[in-house]
Structures are given as structure tokens and as C-alpha cells.
Amino acid sequence: FGSCFAWHYEDHYAYSVNYQHCGAPKHWYGIPGLYANDAEQAMNAFLKQHNCGAFEQFDLTTMVSPLLLHKLYGLPVYKARQNAGEFVVTFPQAYHCGFNTGFNVNEAVNFATADW
């Protein structure tokens, strides 16, 4: 098993593009930005129920199962598998998390469009 990244969205509601140069696949889970407030409420409810601290968007340590967020709280959660040579784009305020299945080389950059 490789590394993981916790639920978050990009600073300043920016877009992000991630390119995988080589290596093992990366699995992504995403919640559309339209549901950002609902996602925060769901994560806080789940953490409170399990006697954990509050969810902090920029703490970057909260991992709640995407399946639980979907089944218990009705959030739309989407999954993507990124392979070498592929791009993944995240949209403003869209929560995402995931994990690497082994060693890989990726690079990412945040960007804004004219409507930002």
C-alpha cells in the first residue's frame, strides 16, 4: 500500500490538475463542490459520534470512508483510478481524498479560470 491524502479541497476554491508520470495507480474519491457544506456537516457528525475532534478542512488529516459518507449521509461520492499518462482535474470546493497503490510520480498545480 502506498501513501494517502485526506479529505480537502484546494485553497481559494482553485481548480487543480494532477498528472501521473509513471508508477502504480492512484485512486481518487470526490464529492462535488455543490455538496461541500453537506460534506463538512457529515464529517463533523461522524467524528462527533466517534468522540473525535471537529473536522478542519485545512488540517489534512481526516479520513472518513467514502462509502460511509455515501451510505450514511447520502452524499454523492465519485471514484476515479488514475494511471500513468493520465490527468485528473478537481473543481473548486470539490472535496477529494485518495491513496496511491504503490510508488508513483505525480505532479499537481492549482489554477484559476477567467470566471474565478
Side-chain angles (χ1 to χ4, degrees):
F1 184 72
S3 60
C4 59
F5 52 104
W7 287 107
H8 70 287
Y9 58 75
E10 303 307 318
D11 298 345
H12 309 294
Y13 300 159
Y15 291 82
S16 178
V17 61
N18 181 295
Y19 179 74
Q20 184 166 338
H21 291 277
C22 62
K26 178 184 291 238
H27 289 261
W28 295 74
Y29 297 93
I31 298 171
L34 182 63
Y35 297 90
N37 289 333
D38 296 330
E40 290 170 12
Q41 290 175 1
M43 285 188 250
N44 273 314
F46 182 83
L47 294 172
K48 184 177 181 180
Q49 181 182 6
H50 292 85
N51 297 317
C52 298
F55 173 71
E56 296 291 336
Q57 148 46 23
F58 295 108
D59 194 16
L60 301 180
T61 60
T62 303
M63 295 295 286
V64 175
S65 165
L67 183 63
L68 289 176
L69 291 174
H70 176 68
K71 287 195 171 193
L72 295 179
Y73 301 99
L75 292 170
V77 179
Y78 297 90
K79 180 180 178 182
R81 175 183 164 132
Q82 183 183 19
N83 297 298
E86 296 177 345
F87 290 91
V88 168
V89 176
T90 63
F91 286 77
Q93 218 173 353
Y95 273 101
H96 53 282
C97 72
F99 61 93
N100 300 300
T101 60
F103 178 78
N104 57 30
V105 177
N106 290 57
E107 66 179 298
V109 65
N110 292 352
F111 65 95
T113 61
D115 65 345
W116 182 74

